Amino acid sequence: MSDQEPNGPVRQLRPRHVAELVADELRRRILDGELPDGSLLPKQEDLLAEFGVSRPSLREALRILEAEHLVSVRRGKLGGAVVHRPVADNAAYTLGLVLRAQNVGVDDVSTALHHIEPVCAALCAARPDRATEVVPQLRAIHEAARACIDDPHEFVVVSRKFHEVLVERCGNATLRLVVGTLEKVWSAHAREWAEQNVPLGFPDRDYRQHGFDDHELLLRLIERGEAEAASREARQHLEWAPVYSIDEENRVVPGLLHGPGHGPGGAP
């Protein structure tokens, strides 16, 4: 097999760095559960003997894993490298940083959720075990929202959990991770949004009741297994546009109709 491209120079293929190969193997052990969450990596002397690499190469491999949040290195007499299995919160934090670095607005995240979350609602309704694995969890969050409907700030936070659980219980592992990460990004925005706008009188009681009633209907459709209707209701709920607008500082301006997604999740 030739390394020469047509009418081009010969490419020099660089072998993978030793540190990357060591990091690959340790990463595999962490992801496969051979190194449990919270455990310590073997001592450096043992790793040096196992892999037959230099101390600087091993240190670089650990730096790679530390940058990926798979280990945290403790210094001192009781030091060592602590193993951390990946969790959705880390993914949400990293995704939030990437979105911010690329100047992606929160309305873009909202639009993505408007397209994907109704799919999760339909999957919840289609689960044959929804009576035990979906409905009780959503019902508990919904009742918590009922109990705090007169507390605007708490209501926004609890209502966001309804959307998070809707995704968590959809039954599809990939959607649960990917969409769940977006939900966590949006929920962080919703908490900040509530801090700014509750003192200004938003969301008002009618808005909160409307959002609560939407969740009640969606919950009933899921309970009855009506997947298409649940998807449709979820989309309508997210696109609901009350008589408010948002200024450049993410604050509510009464009296103007705004498009979908400007409130905390389109609606609570």
Side-chain angles (χ1 to χ4, degrees), residues 111-189:
T111 297
L113 288 174
H114 287 172
H115 286 286
I116 304 173
E117 194 176 311
V119 175
C120 295
L123 288 172
C124 283
R127 286 187 62 162
D129 59 354
R130 62 187 178 277
T132 58
E133 299 303 316
V134 180
V135 175
Q137 292 78 9
L138 287 175
R139 177 62 66 186
I141 297 296
H142 190 56
E143 291 306 315
R146 185 196 303 276
C148 67
I149 197 168
D150 289 322
D151 182 338
H153 184 274
E154 185 66 17
F155 181 78
V156 169
V157 174
V158 173
S159 294
R160 272 276 79 226
K161 291 181 182 178
F162 186 94
H163 293 259
E164 293 177 3
V165 171
L166 188 73
V167 173
E168 289 172 3
R169 295 288 167 169
C170 73
N172 182 279
T174 303
L175 284 174
R176 186 173 68 243
L177 176 61
V178 175
V179 185
T181 299
L182 290 176
E183 291 285 0
K184 290 181 182 298
V185 170
W186 188 256
S187 291
H189 162 68

Side-chain angles (χ1 to χ4, degrees), residues 6-232:
N7 302 319
V10 174
R11 292 181 295 164
Q12 297 297 321
L13 299 180
R14 182 181 70 86
R16 296 198 67 193
H17 195 283
V18 170
E20 294 173 338
L21 297 175
V22 174
D24 282 351
E25 174 57 21
L26 292 175
R27 185 188 301 109
R28 182 197 66 76
R29 296 179 189 179
I30 293 171
L31 297 180
D32 289 351
E34 294 178 22
L35 294 169
D37 185 68
S39 66
L40 291 173
L41 286 182
K43 295 180 180 179
Q44 286 198 20
E45 289 73 15
D46 295 334
L47 292 174
L48 290 170
E50 176 184 354
F51 291 109
V53 298
S54 66
R55 196 172 295 272
S57 292
L58 179 59
R59 283 199 294 264
E60 184 178 346
L62 294 179
R63 282 196 292 268
I64 293 172
L65 297 176
E66 195 168 19
E68 296 173 349
H69 304 291
L70 293 177
V71 302
S72 56
V73 179
R74 299 186 309 203
R75 269 63 179 182
K77 185 179 295 186
L78 300 177
V82 182
V83 172
H84 305 291
R85 286 181 60 81
V87 294
D89 286 345
N90 289 342
Y93 178 75
T94 302
L95 178 59
L97 292 179
V98 172
L99 292 172
R100 183 173 179 180
Q102 296 184 2
N103 295 317
V104 177
V106 291
D107 57 332
D108 196 85
V109 177
S110 176
T111 297
L113 288 174
H114 287 172
H115 286 286
I116 304 173
E117 194 176 311
V119 175
C120 295
L123 288 172
C124 283
R127 286 187 62 162
D129 59 354
R130 62 187 178 277
T132 58
E133 299 303 316
V134 180
V135 175
Q137 292 78 9
L138 287 175
R139 177 62 66 186
I141 297 296
H142 190 56
E143 291 306 315
R146 185 196 303 276
C148 67
I149 197 168
D150 289 322
D151 182 338
H153 184 274
E154 185 66 17
F155 181 78
V156 169
V157 174
V158 173
S159 294
R160 272 276 79 226
K161 291 181 182 178
F162 186 94
H163 293 259
E164 293 177 3
V165 171
L166 188 73
V167 173
E168 289 172 3
R169 295 288 167 169
C170 73
N172 182 279
T174 303
L175 284 174
R176 186 173 68 243
L177 176 61
V178 175
V179 185
T181 299
L182 290 176
E183 291 285 0
K184 290 181 182 298
V185 170
W186 188 256
S187 291
H189 162 68
R191 288 191 295 270
E192 179 183 352
W193 184 93
E195 291 287 347
Q196 294 183 36
N197 291 295
V198 165
L200 302 177
F202 186 81
D204 61 27
R205 188 58 165 76
D206 289 342
Y207 182 98
R208 300 195 300 273
Q209 187 64 53
H210 189 145
F212 180 85
D213 292 343
D214 277 359
H215 284 184
E216 176 67 34
L217 175 56
L218 180 55
L219 181 51
R220 289 178 182 176
L221 292 170
I222 290 173
E223 189 171 23
R224 295 200 295 260
E226 299 181 26
E228 290 187 11
S231 176
R232 185 167 56 252

